[in-house]
Amino acid sequence: MEQEGGIPRDSISNRVKKWISERILNGTYPPGHRLVELQIAHELKTSQGPVREALRELEASGLVESEPFKGTRVRQVSAREMQEAYQVRAFIEQHAAELAAFALRDNTSRLQSEIVAAHEAAEKGDIETFSRHNAVFHRQIVEASGNSILLRFWDALQFEIRSQVILSQEKFSPLEGEKLHQAIIDAFRNGNGKLAGRLLRKHLLGFADTIDSTHEASWVHAGRKSSTG
Amino acid sequence: MEQEGGIPRDSISNRVKKWISERILNGTYPPGHRLVELQIAHELKTSQGPVREALRELEASGLVESEPFKGTRVRQVSAREMQEAYQVRAFIEQHAAELAAFALRDNTSRLQSEIVAAHEAAEKGDIETFSRHNAVFHRQIVEASGNSILLRFWDALQFEIRSQVILSQEKFSPLEGEKLHQAIIDAFRNGNGKLAGRLLRKHLLGFADTIDSTHEASWVHAGRKSSTG
DNA sequence: CGAATATCGATTATCGATAATTTATTATTT
DNA sequence: AAATAATAAATTATCGATAATCGATATTCG
């Protein structure tokens, strides 16, 4: 049985949550934007309760922040925090790679197919699709580590990071990254988790270094480019 | 201006949250125990809303879990998950130690005082106090790393772990750990973050290894001992 | 004029009631 | 008696209304 309009089969608060995060991630609601419970409730033809619940969950995941009696706003992630996030991601993945070495040995076809898909998207200039496949590639490694807590943290970071896309046009050189990705896959195929880990770490820390305070205003929100810089 | 009864100056939902987590952590609500919104609301002379909100926040922090329309229960943490948590904690702290090397060089007095306090508590057999100081010791290292995301993850882990205290009586040998702690402090004093990191990692992974499935039923809830084993 | 205070509009926090859903119980059929 | 269906009880999810608090503006007093 299918629903008609919006997002199907889910509690209202969940639908609200998706609706809001979509708008945050695609830049409709920019950092600092105020989210008024009753206003959103009215817009979505529901009541305050589910909206409030959705906002609280988004707060837990770091996408918005709220103060008692003052309300909720889309969170502004500082350049510093962004760097920290990438540093943490770097060593999460390094560690995951070492743990995943056994599981991925001679078992890299799924990794490979993500890289292929990412490559195709990159050639078409489709950043959105490229990013998705790229993310899946990295996530698969953490998944293969077999440590669910590691994966939970990785997901949390990824979600938080997504709100501030890091691919400013100048830095977007997927071709270079591609060689590295291939090297990582090769390392896994040979069962060399240590090497794969080192490569991943280097890759991500390099990314972190490209984030500086001058970027803060010139980040690209998924979809549209903001030429605030 | 002081309140009279319970916990002062906080939103109701926050007070409810503290009230519930207290009961989970001290074993009043054991794993699997069902938490009924209206029942708790009635017991605390409030309404469903704040209780629901509190439960959702506790879910986000991993202390309880809930399914749509089926309700909320105190989460049972498996031995496996516990091991994973300690593994993650181990390498978080290892990494933090390396980052903290500079900040802690010739600046270990606060670490030292926690160890002293922990030692005193241990001699008195006061596990509760020992654990607290021990936790602060480790947390200070992560704090000194200067990476707030790392600290956030560490806090999340710590909170989750707290619900299943790991110091079963047999394994409670603080004296052995003490030497290690001292060695860690010495390493920091000499600015040797790598060494401190290795020691921390070894310490924590050793801990993780003592957790096996036979422990699952014999964990000690903070405060009272459950001789379920 | 300027500081402190009262008032108003907007919004969050909480409440009590109702709808939707699950779980348990009873009735019905074979 | 076992399996299935119908009903009832319990609980979560949502709603609409009220209370509490914030921020801004107007007002009073020195």
Side-chain angles (χ1 to χ4, degrees):
Chain A
M1 216 176 286
E2 281 279 55
Q3 244 84 351
E4 32 167 355
I7 308 120
R9 196 128 294 287
D10 230 342
S11 70
I12 294 183
S13 80
N14 254 318
R15 275 182 286 179
V16 174
K17 187 168 108 180
K18 284 178 187 166
W19 188 88
I20 296 175
S21 54
E22 210 175 290
R23 282 178 145 63
I24 294 177
L25 294 177
N26 76 13
T28 308
Y29 292 158
H33 181 88
R34 185 137 178 241
L35 301 166
V36 178
E37 296 174 358
L38 279 170
Q39 182 196 303
I40 294 173
H42 185 256
E43 190 168 358
L44 293 177
K45 292 184 174 56
T46 179
S47 62
Q48 194 186 352
V51 175
R52 191 181 168 78
E53 209 168 298
L55 288 174
R56 281 290 149 84
E57 286 178 40
L58 290 175
E59 183 178 19
S61 68
L63 223 48
V64 307
E65 63 190 345
S66 53
E67 288 192 278
F69 289 107
K70 300 184 76 180
T72 304
R73 302 175 167 278
V74 179
R75 201 157 80 90
Q76 168 70 271
V77 180
S78 69
R80 159 104 205 225
E81 212 175 331
M82 211 62 181
Q83 288 174 332
E84 290 183 358
Y86 268 93
Q87 281 167 12
V88 173
R89 214 186 116 171
F91 88 96
I92 282 182
E93 292 193 24
Q94 177 178 31
H95 196 73
E98 296 177 11
L99 293 176
F102 181 74
L104 292 178
R105 176 169 204 141
D106 293 323
N107 184 24
T108 53
S109 59
R110 288 178 52 213
L111 286 177
Q112 189 71 59
S113 67
E114 292 302 330
I115 288 307
V116 170
H119 177 72
E120 285 169 6
E123 284 196 323
K124 290 179 196 155
D126 183 349
I127 300 184
E128 179 77 20
T129 304
F130 169 83
S131 294
R132 194 171 58 251
H133 287 291
N134 186 53
V136 173
F137 171 82
H138 286 272
R139 190 176 191 278
Q140 280 181 353
I141 294 169
V142 183
E143 231 177 326
S145 77
N147 189 315
S148 62
I149 293 180
L150 218 50
L151 184 60
R152 181 145 55 84
F153 284 170
W154 190 92
D155 280 338
L157 269 184
Q158 177 65 6
F159 190 64
E160 215 171 311
I161 286 174
R162 271 233 310 168
S163 68
Q164 312 277 144
V165 180
I166 17 55
L167 299 170
S168 55
Q169 299 303 63
E170 316 100 302
K171 307 284 177 180
F172 182 55
S173 53
L175 302 180
E176 191 183 332
E178 204 134 339
K179 278 183 199 157
L180 200 50
H181 280 157
Q182 197 53 58
I184 290 167
I185 290 181
D186 290 343
F188 277 127
R189 181 159 38 233
N190 298 328
N192 194 341
K194 285 262 188 224
L195 175 57
R198 271 201 304 278
L199 293 170
L200 276 165
R201 179 197 173 105
K202 186 181 164 192
H203 179 41
L204 288 163
L205 285 183
F207 226 26
D209 286 343
T210 69
I211 304 169
D212 58 48
S213 48
T214 64
H215 277 73
E216 193 141 359
S218 68
W219 281 331
V220 180
H221 274 102
R224 70 201 57 177
K225 299 150 213 158
S226 72
S227 53
T228 329
Chain B
M1 215 176 282
E2 281 280 55
Q3 244 82 352
E4 32 168 354
I7 308 121
R9 199 123 292 287
D10 230 343
S11 70
I12 294 185
S13 80
N14 254 316
R15 275 181 286 178
V16 174
K17 187 168 110 182
K18 284 178 187 166
W19 189 87
I20 296 175
S21 55
E22 210 175 291
R23 286 179 178 230
I24 294 177
L25 294 177
N26 76 15
T28 307
Y29 292 159
H33 181 88
R34 186 138 178 243
L35 301 167
V36 178
E37 296 174 357
L38 279 171
Q39 182 195 303
I40 293 174
H42 185 256
E43 191 168 359
L44 293 178
K45 292 183 173 56
T46 178
S47 62
Q48 194 186 353
V51 175
R52 190 181 169 79
E53 209 168 299
L55 288 175
R56 282 289 148 84
E57 285 177 39
L58 290 175
E59 183 178 20
S61 68
L63 224 47
V64 306
E65 62 190 346
S66 52
E67 288 193 277
F69 287 106
K70 300 184 75 183
T72 305
R73 305 178 165 275
V74 178
R75 200 157 81 89
Q76 167 71 271
V77 180
S78 68
R80 160 104 205 228
E81 210 176 330
M82 211 62 183
Q83 287 174 334
E84 290 183 359
Y86 267 94
Q87 280 168 12
V88 173
R89 215 187 115 173
F91 89 95
I92 283 182
E93 292 192 23
Q94 176 178 30
H95 196 73
E98 293 176 13
L99 293 175
F102 181 74
L104 291 178
R105 175 170 205 142
D106 293 323
N107 185 22
T108 53
S109 58
R110 287 177 54 212
L111 287 177
Q112 189 72 60
S113 66
E114 291 301 329
I115 290 306
V116 169
H119 176 72
E120 285 169 5
E123 285 197 322
K124 289 180 197 155
D126 184 349
I127 300 183
E128 178 76 21
T129 304
F130 169 82
S131 295
R132 193 170 60 250
H133 287 292
N134 185 56
V136 172
F137 171 81
H138 287 271
R139 189 176 191 278
Q140 280 182 352
I141 293 168
V142 183
E143 231 177 325
S145 77
N147 188 315
S148 62
I149 293 179
L150 217 51
L151 184 59
R152 181 145 56 84
F153 284 169
W154 190 92
D155 280 338
L157 270 184
Q158 177 65 9
F159 190 64
E160 213 171 313
I161 286 174
R162 269 234 308 171
S163 67
Q164 314 274 143
V165 180
I166 17 56
L167 299 169
S168 56
Q169 299 304 60
E170 317 101 301
K171 308 283 178 184
F172 181 57
S173 53
L175 302 180
E176 191 182 330
E178 203 134 341
K179 277 183 198 156
L180 200 49
H181 281 157
Q182 196 54 56
I184 291 167
I185 290 181
D186 290 343
F188 276 127
R189 181 160 38 232
N190 297 329
N192 192 341
K194 285 261 189 224
L195 175 58
R198 272 201 303 278
L199 293 172
L200 275 166
R201 179 196 173 109
K202 186 181 164 192
H203 178 40
L204 288 163
L205 285 184
F207 227 25
D209 285 342
T210 68
I211 303 170
D212 58 50
S213 48
T214 64
H215 277 72
E216 193 142 356
S218 69
W219 281 330
V220 181
H221 274 102
R224 71 199 59 177
K225 298 151 214 158
S226 73
S227 51
T228 328

